[in-house]
């Protein structure tokens, strides 16, 4: 069993300087947010960070990604995403601030979606709150458990590395872990996972979901790996998973899987996009949404909520997403 790695993020090193705030939109969020205040460390480093209430049928969702100046999320020769920030030699503290920003979002999350590919590329990483101060403030000021649930998503579970450290964490560390997959994926988990498996499902549209019952079953089998089973054959149902997690009381969900994030955007289920830009150029083709483009007349829009910088080598953006936006003017014949 493994212990969770914790670290210090000195506030003066990761301080993000605010350059822009859409005060009107932020005021709307402030007026509806269930949060009374921003936790101390986030207020000190980033400033106010509040979220709207969750919809009734799913958690409020957001994701965080670091991109190069040319919009790439990884280098072609090494595909681990954190390198885009880490290999910025002008500003090493900016890379630390990028990781701190991800941890700030983890603080507010009830669950985190992880892709199997992320586990393959980052063999020693878990999605817990690394910042000691914020982990404590999450408990004291938000009344949450020390860490959000890590939920590994996969079509059929054949790509999940069950020898990953995530599945070996000591239960005393309070990092809940689960898998979300299809019915065929459940059988694969049963074949390959060394822990006892607790099947939650199949859960399908049109069938009632009792989140309290699911939570009770998980409490009764604390040593088992919960598996949320949705969809048919080898195709899980992301919409149903969101509904199930909301029924269990999850109000905020952080997406740390780039492909899953894009899938949510395609369905209008991603609410915010935190994009940090590292001022390096990567080239290549590893970019969000590669191979799954939106149409020129049907695509998500975003409004910039906040913009911050770290020295002159990093930018940190918070973007509110909008779907089904219609053109306000006729652009036919307009020449660019």
């Amino acid at each position: 069993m493994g212990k969770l790695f914790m670290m210090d993020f000195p506030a003066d090193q990761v301080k993000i300087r605010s350059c822009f705030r859409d005060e009107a939109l932020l005021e709307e969020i402030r007026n509806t947010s269930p949060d009374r205040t921003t936790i101390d460390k986030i207020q000190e480093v980033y400033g106010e960070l509040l979220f709207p209430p969750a919809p009734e049928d799913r958690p409020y969702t957001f994701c965080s990604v670091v991109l190069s100046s040319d919009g790439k999320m990884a280098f072609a020769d090494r595909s681990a995403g954190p390198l885009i920030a880490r290999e910025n030699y002008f500003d090493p503290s900016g890379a630390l601030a990028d990781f701190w920003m991800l941890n700030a979002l983890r603080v507010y999350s009830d669950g985190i979606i992880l892709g199997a590919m992320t586990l393959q590329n980052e063999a020693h990483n878990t999605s817990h709150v690394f910042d000691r101060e914020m982990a404590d403030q999450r408990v004291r000021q938000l009344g949450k458990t020390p860490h959000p649930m890590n939920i590994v998503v996969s079509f059929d579970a054949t790509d999940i590395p069950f020898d990953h450290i995530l599945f070996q964490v000591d239960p005393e560390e309070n990092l809940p872990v689960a898998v979300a997959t299809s019915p065929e994926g459940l059988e694969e988990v049963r074949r390959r996972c060394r822990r006892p498996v607790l099947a939650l499902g199949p859960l399908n549209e049109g069938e009632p979901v009792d989140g309290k019952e699911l939570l009770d079953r998980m409490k009764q089998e604390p040593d088992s790996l919960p598996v949320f089973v949705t969809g048919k054959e080898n195709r899980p149902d992301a919409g149903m998973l969101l509904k199930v997690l909301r029924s269990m009381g999850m109000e905020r969900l952080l997406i740390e899987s780039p492909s899953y994030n894009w899938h949510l955007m395609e369905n209008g289920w991603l609410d915010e996009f935190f994009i940090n830009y590292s001022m390096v150029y990567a080239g290549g083709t590893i970019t969000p949404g590669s191979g799954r483009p939106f149409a020129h007349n049907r695509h998500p829009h975003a409004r910039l909520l906040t913009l911050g910088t770290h020295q002159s080598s990093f930018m940190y953006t918070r973007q509110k997403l909008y779907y089904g936006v219609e053109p306000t003017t006729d652009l036919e014949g307009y020449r660019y």
Side-chain angles (χ1 to χ4, degrees):
M1 292 291 192
K3 294 288 186 180
L4 294 179
F5 176 73
M6 305 291 283
M7 58 186 289
D8 295 320
F9 291 81
D12 59 338
Q13 290 187 34
V14 297
K15 176 73 175 177
I16 295 172
R17 184 173 67 90
S18 177
C19 299
F20 169 81
R21 290 170 55 87
D22 187 323
E23 294 296 350
L25 280 175
L26 291 170
E27 179 67 16
E28 291 181 17
I29 293 174
R30 188 180 303 117
N31 290 337
T32 61
S33 177
D35 301 315
R36 296 181 179 179
T37 184
T38 302
I39 72 166
D40 296 342
K41 180 73 172 283
I42 294 177
Q43 183 69 54
E44 179 183 8
V45 172
Y46 178 83
E48 183 183 65
L49 182 60
L50 302 172
F51 292 96
E56 292 185 2
D57 60 345
R58 64 172 178 81
Y60 191 82
T61 57
F62 41 86
C63 72
S64 177
V65 66
V66 59
L67 301 179
S68 64
S69 293
D70 54 332
K72 305 302 185 293
M73 60 184 180
F75 291 99
D77 61 337
R78 288 191 62 188
S79 58
L83 292 180
I84 289 291
R86 196 179 306 157
E87 302 301 314
N88 188 323
Y89 307 140
F90 280 155
D91 184 9
S93 292
L96 185 63
D98 167 73
F99 187 44
W100 178 88
M101 191 71 234
L102 176 63
N103 274 264
L105 297 179
R106 290 175 179 176
V107 165
Y108 282 99
S109 302
D110 298 304
I112 296 176
I113 295 292
L114 294 166
M117 186 63 69
T118 300
L119 269 59
Q120 293 178 26
N121 290 333
E122 301 175 29
H124 301 289
N125 192 31
T126 57
S127 290
H128 64 281
V129 180
F130 280 66
D131 188 307
R132 293 186 180 91
E133 292 178 83
M134 293 200 299
D136 178 61
Q137 291 169 5
R138 171 182 161 92
V139 175
R140 289 190 297 105
Q141 296 183 245
L142 298 181
K144 295 182 179 293
T145 58
H147 306 287
M149 175 180 282
N150 283 203
I151 306 166
V152 182
V153 294
S154 172
F155 283 110
D156 59 11
T158 57
D159 52 355
I160 298 178
F162 285 102
D163 57 349
H164 192 277
I165 188 175
L166 184 64
F167 300 103
Q168 320 300 326
V169 173
D170 193 317
E172 294 184 0
E173 296 293 288
N174 295 309
L175 178 65
V177 177
V179 167
T181 187
S182 63
E184 289 186 10
L186 171 63
E187 298 310 313
E188 184 70 14
V189 176
R190 284 172 167 158
R191 280 194 293 269
R192 298 178 50 233
C193 182
R194 299 175 183 175
R195 290 172 54 182
V197 173
L198 172 61
L200 302 175
L203 304 160
N204 293 302
E205 278 293 341
E207 299 176 3
V209 178
D210 188 337
K212 183 179 182 302
E213 179 188 357
L214 297 179
L215 287 170
D216 288 343
R217 291 180 60 192
M218 291 167 63
K219 290 177 182 178
Q220 292 168 7
E221 300 187 34
D223 296 328
S224 296
L225 176 68
V227 180
F228 298 106
V229 186
T230 63
K232 300 182 183 301
E233 298 178 349
N234 64 353
R235 304 293 294 187
D237 185 336
M240 190 61 193
L241 176 63
L242 294 179
K243 183 179 296 186
V244 169
L245 297 179
R246 184 70 182 91
S247 76
M248 296 171 61
M250 291 196 185
E251 296 185 350
R252 296 183 188 131
L253 196 63
L254 173 61
I255 314 303
E256 294 190 17
S257 164
S259 59
Y260 206 83
N261 158 53
W262 209 257
H263 179 59
L264 295 189
M265 290 181 70
E266 290 172 328
N267 288 278
W269 296 330
L270 188 71
D271 296 301
E272 294 191 28
F273 211 152
F274 287 77
I275 303 181
N276 303 334
Y277 293 92
S278 172
M279 298 294 100
V280 299
Y281 286 84
T285 60
I286 306 177
T287 185
S290 177
R292 295 161 66 181
F294 292 108
H296 79 281
N297 59 349
R298 187 177 180 275
H299 46 268
H301 286 63
R303 291 191 185 278
L304 191 63
L305 286 174
T306 63
L307 170 65
T309 62
H310 192 280
Q311 297 186 21
S312 59
S313 296
F314 283 85
M315 293 190 299
Y316 307 86
T317 72
R318 178 184 181 184
Q319 305 177 26
K320 182 74 175 72
L321 295 175
Y322 296 86
Y323 302 91
V325 180
E326 298 292 337
T328 56
T329 57
D330 184 6
L331 297 181
E332 280 299 320
Y334 185 83
R335 295 190 178 185
Y336 293 88

